[in-house]
Amino acid sequence: MLDETLLDDPDALARVDRRGLLRGAAEAGARVRTAARHAAEAGVTELNPEGRPRAILIAGPGTAAAGVADMVAALAGASAPVARLHSTGVAAAPGALRWTLPGWAGSVDLLLITTTDGSEPGLALLAEQAYRRGVTVVAVAPRRSPLAEAVDDTHGLVVPMATAPHELTEEEAQEASPAALWALFTPFLALLDRVGLVNAPADTLQKVADRLDRTAERCGPAVATYSNPAKTLAAELADTLPIIWTEGATAAPIGRRFAAVLAELAGRPAFAAELPEALAAHGGLLSGDFAAGADPDDFFRDRVEERQALHARVVLLRDRPVGGLTAAPAARELALSHDTTISELEPEDVGPDSGGADSTGPDSAGSDSTGADRGTTGNGTTDLEGFAELLAVTDFAAVYLALTSRLNTP
């Protein structure tokens, strides 16, 4: 259960935030700037590749690495196939994990290695295997880690992972922090810009960092729930089964990451799928045991002694629709027909003189999100900025759910 009294008590949130999750979410913008600087210092922005890679392979452990692979694939689109190399082993411990290149990988391919640890011997072995096969290797890993040394020894390119001073002695906080994703992801954005797969020059990364800063101001612990989109979303998802529906290529990996982070940080099960396929795939969840009216005895339940049954709640994440083609009306209609509440989230249009508005939809089925059918913006806002905003709001919401869960509070 969610302890709602904590949401508007910044001091209490700070006391229960033993892993520094809120601080990590708030530092995402700063992490982008530091990571971009590290990439430039490592020589990424000076690269002059001869052409695009045939394929991009991504390896690394944990939710952050999985998110990086998913997001790179979404942003690269059809420009080059992107595949994540899944680990094998007898346990999730760094020393037990192993990765293997596919048989077809060769000199025209690019291997990206990403980790917040850097002690995994399996990743060092993978870098050596790539060197023997002529595969170009770029790694983002902690400075002076065994992996960084192994990649450097095999003539690969190493970008030191961007860390904050307090993380030098707080390994657990670094691993769990939402900022870890941006520390790993940003150097790859700079690299993919150089090879022509993603439009992410230095000024765009600065805009992304600025958008993350603005989102952190809107979603911070001192901002009351009624005007805080992340706290609002966390409160709406309390004691529910989140059904995350996404629309748009860049919203899809954010939805999958949101489901993964809810499970890892908050211990909450969630399902994620893309529209319009989600309507058929998850329709049974809205009419089965998790439907809003599935428990006829719910009205007579003892609210103090008995736990409330989980009911499905739809979370609709959308990037800006193109050409007016959208499945959102059908999604709202399906939720409404099953008395299922729906939360909607879209990136804001933030012009030079605009302070923005709350982008979380009202707490009702069939609700309208801010600027639902705007299409592309004309004020210089980039796709990456909207992508960063959605990612930040959902990360903050997952952190609030983790901190306010009665399982995680004293």
Side-chain angles (χ1 to χ4, degrees):
M1 294 180 63
L2 180 143
D3 185 353
E4 294 188 23
T5 62
L6 281 178
L7 276 179
D8 287 327
D9 189 340
D11 292 336
L13 285 171
R15 285 194 297 272
V16 300
D17 190 11
R18 301 181 184 89
R19 292 178 289 175
L21 298 176
L22 277 174
R23 179 168 54 185
E27 290 175 348
R31 202 62 60 94
V32 168
R33 296 184 184 91
T34 303
R37 186 177 70 251
H38 285 184
E41 292 172 350
V44 169
T45 56
E46 302 300 323
L47 293 175
N48 291 304
E50 297 179 356
R52 294 179 176 181
R54 178 182 63 178
I56 299 174
L57 306 171
I58 302 179
T63 301
V68 168
D70 202 6
M71 293 170 192
V72 167
L75 294 174
S79 300
V82 179
R84 184 188 177 207
L85 303 182
H86 293 274
S87 61
T88 59
V90 297
L97 299 176
R98 294 292 183 271
W99 291 262
T100 303
L101 287 174
W104 49 262
S107 59
V108 293
D109 302 311
L110 173 63
L111 171 63
L112 307 180
I113 300 178
T114 175
T115 174
T116 60
D117 188 324
S119 67
E120 302 90 346
L123 289 177
L125 292 173
L126 179 67
E128 295 172 2
Q129 182 185 12
Y131 174 67
R132 292 193 299 270
R133 301 264 288 272
V135 178
T136 301
V137 179
V138 179
V140 179
R143 194 186 302 271
R144 292 185 294 275
S145 63
L147 174 62
E149 295 176 1
V151 173
D152 190 59
D153 289 344
T154 54
H155 306 287
L157 177 63
V158 179
V159 180
M161 178 182 168
T163 58
H166 60 82
E167 289 182 337
L168 297 179
T169 57
E170 297 179 16
E171 295 181 1
E172 182 181 0
Q174 177 175 304
E175 178 67 27
S177 171
L181 178 76
W182 287 105
L184 299 174
F185 185 41
T186 303
F188 292 147
L189 283 176
L191 173 67
L192 296 178
D193 177 76
R194 296 302 301 169
V195 300
L197 294 179
V198 174
N199 183 25
D203 60 336
T204 295
L205 294 181
Q206 179 61 47
K207 290 179 181 179
V208 167
D210 292 342
R211 178 66 73 94
L212 288 170
D213 288 343
R214 287 196 297 268
T215 306
E217 291 175 0
R218 296 169 54 222
C219 298
V223 181
T225 299
Y226 67 86
S227 59
N228 186 321
K231 286 185 178 180
T232 298
L233 183 58
E236 290 171 352
L237 294 182
D239 302 316
T240 71
L241 177 67
I243 309 298
I244 304 166
W245 292 346
T246 63
E247 186 171 61
T250 58
I254 296 173
R256 289 188 286 267
R257 171 176 163 81
F258 190 28
V261 173
L262 283 173
E264 182 171 326
L265 294 183
R268 303 295 182 102
F271 295 89
E274 300 178 47
L275 291 175
E277 289 86 353
L279 302 179
H282 291 167
L285 293 172
L286 305 186
S287 58
D289 292 340
F290 297 104
D295 184 2
D297 298 323
D298 182 70
F299 180 81
F300 301 101
R301 180 178 52 82
D302 189 322
R303 306 284 166 169
V304 176
E305 298 298 331
E306 298 180 29
R307 292 199 61 176
Q308 181 178 348
L310 287 181
H311 291 156
R313 184 184 184 97
V314 171
V315 179
L316 179 57
L317 302 179
R318 304 172 67 203
D319 58 21
R320 296 180 178 88
V322 178
L325 185 63
T326 173
R332 298 184 189 110
E333 182 179 355
L334 179 62
L336 181 62
S337 68
H338 292 290
D339 297 321
T340 299
T341 49
I342 182 170
S343 301
E344 297 193 35
L345 200 65
E346 279 191 356
E348 293 181 310
D349 267 343
V350 180
D353 301 316
S354 173
D358 186 356
S359 58
T360 301
D363 183 11
S364 62
S367 61
D368 292 327
S369 61
T370 302
D373 294 306
R374 286 189 302 257
T376 57
T377 64
N379 55 22
T381 296
T382 67
D383 291 340
L384 273 177
E385 289 179 76
F387 176 89
E389 181 185 330
L390 282 181
L391 188 58
V393 173
T394 52
D395 272 349
F396 265 104
V399 168
Y400 284 124
L401 277 170
L403 297 182
T404 55
S405 170
R406 296 190 190 278
L407 295 177
N408 297 330
T409 55

